[in-house]
PDB file of all heavy atoms in Angstrom:
ATOM      1  N   ARG M   1      71.299 125.426  94.813  1.00 97.00           N
ATOM      2  CA  ARG M   1      72.134 125.432  95.879  1.00 97.00           C
ATOM      3  C   ARG M   1      73.404 126.055  95.747  1.00 97.00           C
ATOM      4  O   ARG M   1      73.915 126.261  94.667  1.00 97.00           O
ATOM      5  CB  ARG M   1      72.370 123.798  96.299  1.00 97.00           C
ATOM      6  CG  ARG M   1      71.057 123.122  96.667  1.00 97.00           C
ATOM      7  CD  ARG M   1      71.378 121.648  96.776  1.00 97.00           C
ATOM      8  NE  ARG M   1      72.498 121.315  97.808  1.00 97.00           N
ATOM      9  CZ  ARG M   1      73.394 120.259  97.702  1.00 97.00           C
ATOM     10  NH1 ARG M   1      73.272 119.470  96.624  1.00 97.00           N
ATOM     11  NH2 ARG M   1      74.272 120.079  98.622  1.00 97.00           N
ATOM     12  N   ALA M   2      73.985 126.596  96.796  1.00 97.00           N
ATOM     13  CA  ALA M   2      75.220 127.423  96.778  1.00 97.00           C
ATOM     14  C   ALA M   2      76.377 126.470  96.722  1.00 97.00           C
ATOM     15  O   ALA M   2      76.398 125.243  97.251  1.00 97.00           O
ATOM     16  CB  ALA M   2      75.337 128.277  97.992  1.00 97.00           C
ATOM     17  N   ASN M   3      77.549 126.873  96.350  1.00 96.00           N
ATOM     18  CA  ASN M   3      78.865 126.272  96.549  1.00 96.00           C
ATOM     19  C   ASN M   3      79.329 126.517  97.899  1.00 96.00           C
ATOM     20  O   ASN M   3      79.766 127.685  98.247  1.00 96.00           O
ATOM     21  CB  ASN M   3      79.946 126.930  95.453  1.00 96.00           C
ATOM     22  CG  ASN M   3      81.317 126.269  95.758  1.00 96.00           C
ATOM     23  OD1 ASN M   3      81.567 125.503  96.626  1.00 96.00           O
ATOM     24  ND2 ASN M   3      82.189 126.599  94.819  1.00 96.00           N
ATOM     25  N   GLU M   4      79.154 125.584  98.858  1.00 95.00           N
ATOM     26  CA  GLU M   4      79.300 125.827 100.203  1.00 95.00           C
ATOM     27  C   GLU M   4      80.897 126.130 100.580  1.00 95.00           C
ATOM     28  O   GLU M   4      81.080 126.497 101.625  1.00 95.00           O
ATOM     29  CB  GLU M   4      78.847 124.687 101.075  1.00 95.00           C
ATOM     30  CG  GLU M   4      77.319 124.553 100.986  1.00 95.00           C
ATOM     31  CD  GLU M   4      76.642 123.706 101.919  1.00 95.00           C
ATOM     32  OE1 GLU M   4      77.313 123.338 102.920  1.00 95.00           O
ATOM     33  OE2 GLU M   4      75.401 123.318 101.902  1.00 95.00           O
ATOM     34  N   ASN M   5      81.695 125.840  99.675  1.00 96.00           N
ATOM     35  CA  ASN M   5      83.075 126.272  99.950  1.00 96.00           C
ATOM     36  C   ASN M   5      83.278 127.719 100.120  1.00 96.00           C
ATOM     37  O   ASN M   5      84.128 128.115 100.790  1.00 96.00           O
ATOM     38  CB  ASN M   5      84.082 125.770  98.777  1.00 96.00           C
ATOM     39  CG  ASN M   5      84.147 124.176  98.641  1.00 96.00           C
ATOM     40  OD1 ASN M   5      84.323 123.580  99.530  1.00 96.00           O
ATOM     41  ND2 ASN M   5      83.701 123.712  97.479  1.00 96.00           N
ATOM     42  N   TYR M   6      82.494 128.522  99.539  1.00 94.00           N
ATOM     43  CA  TYR M   6      82.444 129.951  99.760  1.00 94.00           C
ATOM     44  C   TYR M   6      82.301 130.349 101.212  1.00 94.00           C
ATOM     45  O   TYR M   6      82.637 131.329 101.709  1.00 94.00           O
ATOM     46  CB  TYR M   6      81.537 130.709  98.819  1.00 94.00           C
ATOM     47  CG  TYR M   6      81.868 130.994  97.419  1.00 94.00           C
ATOM     48  CD1 TYR M   6      82.079 129.890  96.605  1.00 94.00           C
ATOM     49  CD2 TYR M   6      82.253 132.275  97.013  1.00 94.00           C
ATOM     50  CE1 TYR M   6      82.594 130.046  95.267  1.00 94.00           C
ATOM     51  CE2 TYR M   6      82.650 132.403  95.740  1.00 94.00           C
ATOM     52  CZ  TYR M   6      82.840 131.306  94.816  1.00 94.00           C
ATOM     53  OH  TYR M   6      83.362 131.584  93.534  1.00 94.00           O
ATOM     54  N   GLN M   7      81.674 129.504 101.934  1.00 94.00           N
ATOM     55  CA  GLN M   7      81.327 129.712 103.383  1.00 94.00           C
ATOM     56  C   GLN M   7      82.731 129.548 104.156  1.00 94.00           C
ATOM     57  O   GLN M   7      82.671 129.998 105.293  1.00 94.00           O
ATOM     58  CB  GLN M   7      80.245 128.661 103.927  1.00 94.00           C
ATOM     59  CG  GLN M   7      78.837 128.817 103.195  1.00 94.00           C
ATOM     60  CD  GLN M   7      78.410 130.256 103.179  1.00 94.00           C
ATOM     61  OE1 GLN M   7      78.226 130.924 102.173  1.00 94.00           O
ATOM     62  NE2 GLN M   7      77.955 130.658 104.405  1.00 94.00           N
ATOM     63  N   LYS M   8      83.677 128.939 103.647  1.00 93.00           N
ATOM     64  CA  LYS M   8      84.825 128.645 104.332  1.00 93.00           C
ATOM     65  C   LYS M   8      85.843 129.987 104.194  1.00 93.00           C
ATOM     66  O   LYS M   8      86.866 129.909 104.883  1.00 93.00           O
ATOM     67  CB  LYS M   8      85.612 127.466 103.820  1.00 93.00           C
ATOM     68  CG  LYS M   8      84.813 126.200 103.903  1.00 93.00           C
ATOM     69  CD  LYS M   8      85.536 125.097 103.225  1.00 93.00           C
ATOM     70  CE  LYS M   8      84.752 123.779 103.127  1.00 93.00           C
ATOM     71  NZ  LYS M   8      85.405 122.679 102.362  1.00 93.00           N
ATOM     72  N   LEU M   9      85.538 130.836 103.182  1.00 90.00           N
ATOM     73  CA  LEU M   9      86.339 132.021 103.137  1.00 90.00           C
ATOM     74  C   LEU M   9      86.258 132.928 104.243  1.00 90.00           C
ATOM     75  O   LEU M   9      85.300 132.988 104.988  1.00 90.00           O
ATOM     76  CB  LEU M   9      85.788 132.835 101.838  1.00 90.00           C
ATOM     77  CG  LEU M   9      86.218 132.071 100.592  1.00 90.00           C
ATOM     78  CD1 LEU M   9      85.388 132.853  99.454  1.00 90.00           C
ATOM     79  CD2 LEU M   9      87.649 132.092 100.164  1.00 90.00           C
ATOM     80  N   LYS M  10      87.284 133.635 104.540  1.00 79.00           N
ATOM     81  CA  LYS M  10      87.274 134.697 105.625  1.00 79.00           C
ATOM     82  C   LYS M  10      86.261 135.672 105.215  1.00 79.00           C
ATOM     83  O   LYS M  10      85.909 135.798 104.012  1.00 79.00           O
ATOM     84  CB  LYS M  10      88.638 135.347 105.786  1.00 79.00           C
ATOM     85  CG  LYS M  10      89.659 134.331 106.455  1.00 79.00           C
ATOM     86  CD  LYS M  10      91.003 134.982 106.537  1.00 79.00           C
ATOM     87  CE  LYS M  10      91.786 135.050 105.175  1.00 79.00           C
ATOM     88  NZ  LYS M  10      93.152 135.657 105.375  1.00 79.00           N
ATOM     89  N   ALA M  11      85.793 136.467 106.098  1.00 64.00           N
ATOM     90  CA  ALA M  11      84.656 137.422 105.971  1.00 64.00           C
ATOM     91  C   ALA M  11      84.612 138.188 104.680  1.00 64.00           C
ATOM     92  O   ALA M  11      83.671 138.409 104.026  1.00 64.00           O
ATOM     93  CB  ALA M  11      84.388 138.179 107.148  1.00 64.00           C
ATOM     94  N   SER M  12      85.917 138.787 104.411  1.00 67.00           N
ATOM     95  CA  SER M  12      85.849 139.591 103.249  1.00 67.00           C
ATOM     96  C   SER M  12      87.381 139.583 102.653  1.00 67.00           C
ATOM     97  O   SER M  12      88.318 139.210 103.377  1.00 67.00           O
ATOM     98  CB  SER M  12      85.736 141.149 103.531  1.00 67.00           C
ATOM     99  OG  SER M  12      86.519 141.697 104.382  1.00 67.00           O
ATOM    100  N   TYR M  13      87.541 140.028 101.424  1.00 74.00           N
ATOM    101  CA  TYR M  13      88.677 140.128 100.856  1.00 74.00           C
ATOM    102  C   TYR M  13      89.535 141.136 101.456  1.00 74.00           C
ATOM    103  O   TYR M  13      89.066 142.202 101.840  1.00 74.00           O
ATOM    104  CB  TYR M  13      88.614 140.317  99.336  1.00 74.00           C
ATOM    105  CG  TYR M  13      89.878 140.477  98.536  1.00 74.00           C
ATOM    106  CD1 TYR M  13      90.749 139.458  98.413  1.00 74.00           C
ATOM    107  CD2 TYR M  13      90.154 141.568  97.781  1.00 74.00           C
ATOM    108  CE1 TYR M  13      91.825 139.479  97.638  1.00 74.00           C
ATOM    109  CE2 TYR M  13      91.289 141.646  96.950  1.00 74.00           C
ATOM    110  CZ  TYR M  13      92.073 140.585  96.896  1.00 74.00           C
ATOM    111  OH  TYR M  13      93.174 140.595  96.188  1.00 74.00           O
ATOM    112  N   LEU M  14      90.940 140.970 101.731  1.00 84.00           N
ATOM    113  CA  LEU M  14      91.720 141.836 102.460  1.00 84.00           C
ATOM    114  C   LEU M  14      91.603 143.257 102.121  1.00 84.00           C
ATOM    115  O   LEU M  14      91.404 144.174 102.941  1.00 84.00           O
ATOM    116  CB  LEU M  14      93.204 141.349 102.310  1.00 84.00           C
ATOM    117  CG  LEU M  14      94.284 142.436 102.855  1.00 84.00           C
ATOM    118  CD1 LEU M  14      94.199 142.457 104.369  1.00 84.00           C
ATOM    119  CD2 LEU M  14      95.760 141.778 102.578  1.00 84.00           C
ATOM    120  N   PHE M  15      91.696 143.568 100.810  1.00 84.00           N
ATOM    121  CA  PHE M  15      91.753 144.956 100.374  1.00 84.00           C
ATOM    122  C   PHE M  15      90.268 145.561 100.467  1.00 84.00           C
ATOM    123  O   PHE M  15      90.226 146.787 100.590  1.00 84.00           O
ATOM    124  CB  PHE M  15      92.297 145.037  98.977  1.00 84.00           C
ATOM    125  CG  PHE M  15      93.736 144.565  98.983  1.00 84.00           C
ATOM    126  CD1 PHE M  15      94.219 143.387  98.396  1.00 84.00           C
ATOM    127  CD2 PHE M  15      94.733 145.332  99.621  1.00 84.00           C
ATOM    128  CE1 PHE M  15      95.443 142.941  98.447  1.00 84.00           C
ATOM    129  CE2 PHE M  15      96.046 144.953  99.621  1.00 84.00           C
ATOM    130  CZ  PHE M  15      96.456 143.713  98.940  1.00 84.00           C
ATOM    131  N   SER M  16      89.369 144.739 100.506  1.00 85.00           N
ATOM    132  CA  SER M  16      87.961 145.280 100.640  1.00 85.00           C
ATOM    133  C   SER M  16      87.870 145.697 101.984  1.00 85.00           C
ATOM    134  O   SER M  16      87.254 146.759 102.449  1.00 85.00           O
ATOM    135  CB  SER M  16      86.875 144.242 100.294  1.00 85.00           C
ATOM    136  OG  SER M  16      86.984 143.875  98.941  1.00 85.00           O
ATOM    137  N   ASP M  17      88.408 144.956 103.053  1.00 87.00           N
ATOM    138  CA  ASP M  17      88.338 145.293 104.426  1.00 87.00           C
ATOM    139  C   ASP M  17      89.125 146.623 104.735  1.00 87.00           C
ATOM    140  O   ASP M  17      88.737 147.509 105.448  1.00 87.00           O
ATOM    141  CB  ASP M  17      88.835 144.139 105.254  1.00 87.00           C
ATOM    142  CG  ASP M  17      88.407 144.216 106.682  1.00 87.00           C
ATOM    143  OD1 ASP M  17      87.633 144.929 107.030  1.00 87.00           O
ATOM    144  OD2 ASP M  17      89.019 143.487 107.397  1.00 87.00           O
ATOM    145  N   ILE M  18      90.260 146.745 104.077  1.00 91.00           N
ATOM    146  CA  ILE M  18      90.915 147.970 104.204  1.00 91.00           C
ATOM    147  C   ILE M  18      90.164 149.122 103.754  1.00 91.00           C
ATOM    148  O   ILE M  18      90.121 150.264 104.332  1.00 91.00           O
ATOM    149  CB  ILE M  18      92.389 147.867 103.471  1.00 91.00           C
ATOM    150  CG1 ILE M  18      93.243 146.764 104.193  1.00 91.00           C
ATOM    151  CG2 ILE M  18      93.077 149.252 103.413  1.00 91.00           C
ATOM    152  CD1 ILE M  18      94.493 146.451 103.478  1.00 91.00           C
ATOM    153  N   ALA M  19      89.536 148.944 102.537  1.00 89.00           N
ATOM    154  CA  ALA M  19      88.821 150.037 101.923  1.00 89.00           C
ATOM    155  C   ALA M  19      87.743 150.518 102.861  1.00 89.00           C
ATOM    156  O   ALA M  19      87.424 151.700 103.058  1.00 89.00           O
ATOM    157  CB  ALA M  19      88.320 149.601 100.578  1.00 89.00           C
ATOM    158  N   ARG M  20      87.171 149.449 103.407  1.00 91.00           N
ATOM    159  CA  ARG M  20      85.930 149.833 104.386  1.00 91.00           C
ATOM    160  C   ARG M  20      86.428 150.641 105.575  1.00 91.00           C
ATOM    161  O   ARG M  20      85.761 151.604 105.875  1.00 91.00           O
ATOM    162  CB  ARG M  20      85.293 148.576 104.873  1.00 91.00           C
ATOM    163  CG  ARG M  20      84.164 148.770 105.769  1.00 91.00           C
ATOM    164  CD  ARG M  20      83.679 147.362 106.446  1.00 91.00           C
ATOM    165  NE  ARG M  20      84.663 146.581 106.987  1.00 91.00           N
ATOM    166  CZ  ARG M  20      85.029 146.828 108.287  1.00 91.00           C
ATOM    167  NH1 ARG M  20      84.571 147.783 108.953  1.00 91.00           N
ATOM    168  NH2 ARG M  20      85.969 145.989 108.793  1.00 91.00           N
ATOM    169  N   ARG M  21      87.596 150.248 106.173  1.00 93.00           N
ATOM    170  CA  ARG M  21      88.047 150.934 107.260  1.00 93.00           C
ATOM    171  C   ARG M  21      88.522 152.404 106.907  1.00 93.00           C
ATOM    172  O   ARG M  21      88.272 153.378 107.802  1.00 93.00           O
ATOM    173  CB  ARG M  21      89.209 150.195 107.958  1.00 93.00           C
ATOM    174  CG  ARG M  21      88.886 148.853 108.544  1.00 93.00           C
ATOM    175  CD  ARG M  21      90.075 148.196 109.253  1.00 93.00           C
ATOM    176  NE  ARG M  21      89.796 146.929 109.842  1.00 93.00           N
ATOM    177  CZ  ARG M  21      90.283 146.503 110.922  1.00 93.00           C
ATOM    178  NH1 ARG M  21      91.136 147.293 111.679  1.00 93.00           N
ATOM    179  NH2 ARG M  21      89.907 145.372 111.334  1.00 93.00           N
ATOM    180  N   VAL M  22      89.118 152.496 105.748  1.00 95.00           N
ATOM    181  CA  VAL M  22      89.608 153.775 105.372  1.00 95.00           C
ATOM    182  C   VAL M  22      88.396 154.786 105.077  1.00 95.00           C
ATOM    183  O   VAL M  22      88.359 155.881 105.374  1.00 95.00           O
ATOM    184  CB  VAL M  22      90.503 153.685 104.095  1.00 95.00           C
ATOM    185  CG1 VAL M  22      90.839 155.109 103.541  1.00 95.00           C
ATOM    186  CG2 VAL M  22      91.791 152.972 104.540  1.00 95.00           C
ATOM    187  N   ASP M  23      87.349 154.153 104.426  1.00 95.00           N
ATOM    188  CA  ASP M  23      86.131 154.926 103.992  1.00 95.00           C
ATOM    189  C   ASP M  23      85.445 155.425 105.290  1.00 95.00           C
ATOM    190  O   ASP M  23      85.013 156.664 105.467  1.00 95.00           O
ATOM    191  CB  ASP M  23      85.152 154.088 103.185  1.00 95.00           C
ATOM    192  CG  ASP M  23      85.625 153.911 101.833  1.00 95.00           C
ATOM    193  OD1 ASP M  23      86.587 154.632 101.399  1.00 95.00           O
ATOM    194  OD2 ASP M  23      85.111 152.923 101.127  1.00 95.00           O
ATOM    195  N   GLN M  24      85.386 154.527 106.331  1.00 95.00           N
ATOM    196  CA  GLN M  24      84.813 155.043 107.563  1.00 95.00           C
ATOM    197  C   GLN M  24      85.629 156.120 108.330  1.00 95.00           C
ATOM    198  O   GLN M  24      85.049 157.048 108.838  1.00 95.00           O
ATOM    199  CB  GLN M  24      84.733 153.736 108.595  1.00 95.00           C
ATOM    200  CG  GLN M  24      84.040 154.056 109.829  1.00 95.00           C
ATOM    201  CD  GLN M  24      82.577 154.533 109.755  1.00 95.00           C
ATOM    202  OE1 GLN M  24      81.869 154.035 108.887  1.00 95.00           O
ATOM    203  NE2 GLN M  24      82.108 155.448 110.605  1.00 95.00           N
ATOM    204  N   PHE M  25      86.952 156.051 108.276  1.00 95.00           N
ATOM    205  CA  PHE M  25      87.865 156.994 108.876  1.00 95.00           C
ATOM    206  C   PHE M  25      87.575 158.342 108.153  1.00 95.00           C
ATOM    207  O   PHE M  25      87.632 159.407 108.745  1.00 95.00           O
ATOM    208  CB  PHE M  25      89.305 156.574 108.731  1.00 95.00           C
ATOM    209  CG  PHE M  25      90.296 157.648 109.111  1.00 95.00           C
ATOM    210  CD1 PHE M  25      90.464 157.916 110.500  1.00 95.00           C
ATOM    211  CD2 PHE M  25      90.909 158.367 108.192  1.00 95.00           C
ATOM    212  CE1 PHE M  25      91.371 158.923 110.980  1.00 95.00           C
ATOM    213  CE2 PHE M  25      91.899 159.376 108.552  1.00 95.00           C
ATOM    214  CZ  PHE M  25      92.186 159.738 109.927  1.00 95.00           C
ATOM    215  N   GLN M  26      87.542 158.310 106.782  1.00 95.00           N
ATOM    216  CA  GLN M  26      87.382 159.403 106.026  1.00 95.00           C
ATOM    217  C   GLN M  26      86.110 160.186 106.244  1.00 95.00           C
ATOM    218  O   GLN M  26      86.033 161.387 106.375  1.00 95.00           O
ATOM    219  CB  GLN M  26      87.523 159.191 104.570  1.00 95.00           C
ATOM    220  CG  GLN M  26      87.845 160.365 103.640  1.00 95.00           C
ATOM    221  CD  GLN M  26      89.222 160.855 103.817  1.00 95.00           C
ATOM    222  OE1 GLN M  26      90.166 160.493 103.116  1.00 95.00           O
ATOM    223  NE2 GLN M  26      89.464 161.844 104.636  1.00 95.00           N
ATOM    224  N   LYS M  27      85.052 159.384 106.440  1.00 96.00           N
ATOM    225  CA  LYS M  27      83.697 160.069 106.798  1.00 96.00           C
ATOM    226  C   LYS M  27      83.754 160.765 108.180  1.00 96.00           C
ATOM    227  O   LYS M  27      83.097 161.739 108.465  1.00 96.00           O
ATOM    228  CB  LYS M  27      82.624 158.872 106.771  1.00 96.00           C
ATOM    229  CG  LYS M  27      82.235 158.296 105.528  1.00 96.00           C
ATOM    230  CD  LYS M  27      81.253 157.294 105.569  1.00 96.00           C
ATOM    231  CE  LYS M  27      80.887 156.656 104.141  1.00 96.00           C
ATOM    232  NZ  LYS M  27      79.941 155.433 104.303  1.00 96.00           N
ATOM    233  N   GLU M  28      84.532 160.128 109.105  1.00 96.00           N
ATOM    234  CA  GLU M  28      84.615 160.777 110.453  1.00 96.00           C
ATOM    235  C   GLU M  28      85.683 161.803 110.442  1.00 96.00           C
ATOM    236  O   GLU M  28      85.558 162.640 111.436  1.00 96.00           O
ATOM    237  CB  GLU M  28      85.089 159.603 111.415  1.00 96.00           C
ATOM    238  CG  GLU M  28      83.972 158.464 111.655  1.00 96.00           C
ATOM    239  CD  GLU M  28      84.453 157.326 112.431  1.00 96.00           C
ATOM    240  OE1 GLU M  28      85.675 157.430 112.870  1.00 96.00           O
ATOM    241  OE2 GLU M  28      83.666 156.478 112.741  1.00 96.00           O
ATOM    242  N   ASN M  29      86.486 161.865 109.445  1.00 96.00           N
ATOM    243  CA  ASN M  29      87.578 162.821 109.535  1.00 96.00           C
ATOM    244  C   ASN M  29      87.650 163.463 108.091  1.00 96.00           C
ATOM    245  O   ASN M  29      88.837 163.326 107.401  1.00 96.00           O
ATOM    246  CB  ASN M  29      89.000 162.349 109.948  1.00 96.00           C
ATOM    247  CG  ASN M  29      88.889 161.632 111.370  1.00 96.00           C
ATOM    248  OD1 ASN M  29      89.078 162.417 112.299  1.00 96.00           O
ATOM    249  ND2 ASN M  29      88.660 160.410 111.338  1.00 96.00           N
ATOM    250  N   PRO M  30      86.708 164.223 107.576  1.00 96.00           N
ATOM    251  CA  PRO M  30      86.682 164.700 106.232  1.00 96.00           C
ATOM    252  C   PRO M  30      87.740 165.640 105.904  1.00 96.00           C
ATOM    253  O   PRO M  30      88.052 165.942 104.754  1.00 96.00           O
ATOM    254  CB  PRO M  30      85.205 165.323 106.128  1.00 96.00           C
ATOM    255  CG  PRO M  30      84.859 165.695 107.520  1.00 96.00           C
ATOM    256  CD  PRO M  30      85.464 164.585 108.416  1.00 96.00           C
ATOM    257  N   ASP M  31      88.413 166.390 106.940  1.00 95.00           N
ATOM    258  CA  ASP M  31      89.399 167.332 106.715  1.00 95.00           C
ATOM    259  C   ASP M  31      90.765 166.760 106.615  1.00 95.00           C
ATOM    260  O   ASP M  31      91.780 167.552 106.181  1.00 95.00           O
ATOM    261  CB  ASP M  31      89.352 168.403 107.753  1.00 95.00           C
ATOM    262  CG  ASP M  31      88.032 169.197 107.865  1.00 95.00           C
ATOM    263  OD1 ASP M  31      87.477 169.253 106.826  1.00 95.00           O
ATOM    264  OD2 ASP M  31      87.601 169.593 108.986  1.00 95.00           O
ATOM    265  N   ILE M  32      90.896 165.471 106.832  1.00 96.00           N
ATOM    266  CA  ILE M  32      92.311 164.795 106.775  1.00 96.00           C
ATOM    267  C   ILE M  32      92.479 164.307 105.378  1.00 96.00           C
ATOM    268  O   ILE M  32      91.516 163.447 104.971  1.00 96.00           O
ATOM    269  CB  ILE M  32      92.434 163.748 107.705  1.00 96.00           C
ATOM    270  CG1 ILE M  32      92.430 164.468 109.204  1.00 96.00           C
ATOM    271  CG2 ILE M  32      93.766 162.960 107.579  1.00 96.00           C
ATOM    272  CD1 ILE M  32      92.519 163.487 110.408  1.00 96.00           C
ATOM    273  N   ARG M  33      93.603 164.614 104.730  1.00 96.00           N
ATOM    274  CA  ARG M  33      93.849 164.077 103.439  1.00 96.00           C
ATOM    275  C   ARG M  33      94.706 162.800 103.666  1.00 96.00           C
ATOM    276  O   ARG M  33      95.795 162.764 104.030  1.00 96.00           O
ATOM    277  CB  ARG M  33      94.825 165.042 102.555  1.00 96.00           C
ATOM    278  CG  ARG M  33      95.062 164.584 101.188  1.00 96.00           C
ATOM    279  CD  ARG M  33      95.885 165.570 100.429  1.00 96.00           C
ATOM    280  NE  ARG M  33      97.246 165.695 100.908  1.00 96.00           N
ATOM    281  CZ  ARG M  33      98.277 165.071 100.511  1.00 96.00           C
ATOM    282  NH1 ARG M  33      98.141 164.045  99.525  1.00 96.00           N
ATOM    283  NH2 ARG M  33      99.463 165.194 100.923  1.00 96.00           N
ATOM    284  N   VAL M  34      93.938 161.695 103.352  1.00 97.00           N
ATOM    285  CA  VAL M  34      94.607 160.411 103.507  1.00 97.00           C
ATOM    286  C   VAL M  34      95.578 160.098 102.274  1.00 97.00           C
ATOM    287  O   VAL M  34      95.203 160.340 101.171  1.00 97.00           O
ATOM    288  CB  VAL M  34      93.357 159.298 103.539  1.00 97.00           C
ATOM    289  CG1 VAL M  34      94.041 157.895 103.522  1.00 97.00           C
ATOM    290  CG2 VAL M  34      92.585 159.409 104.771  1.00 97.00           C
ATOM    291  N   ILE M  35      96.632 159.575 102.677  1.00 97.00           N
ATOM    292  CA  ILE M  35      97.716 159.181 101.746  1.00 97.00           C
ATOM    293  C   ILE M  35      97.710 157.676 101.693  1.00 97.00           C
ATOM    294  O   ILE M  35      97.963 156.939 102.782  1.00 97.00           O
ATOM    295  CB  ILE M  35      99.145 159.673 102.119  1.00 97.00           C
ATOM    296  CG1 ILE M  35      99.103 161.137 102.156  1.00 97.00           C
ATOM    297  CG2 ILE M  35     100.219 159.260 101.113  1.00 97.00           C
ATOM    298  CD1 ILE M  35     100.408 161.771 102.645  1.00 97.00           C
TER     299      ILE M  35
END
């Protein structure tokens, strides 16, 4: 059985969510140098 407290966490860790959005933007805009 799982530790069901993990189900109470928000969908993802903040910085993982940011990385996902930035990666998606970079794939769609490969010529832009992201800072």
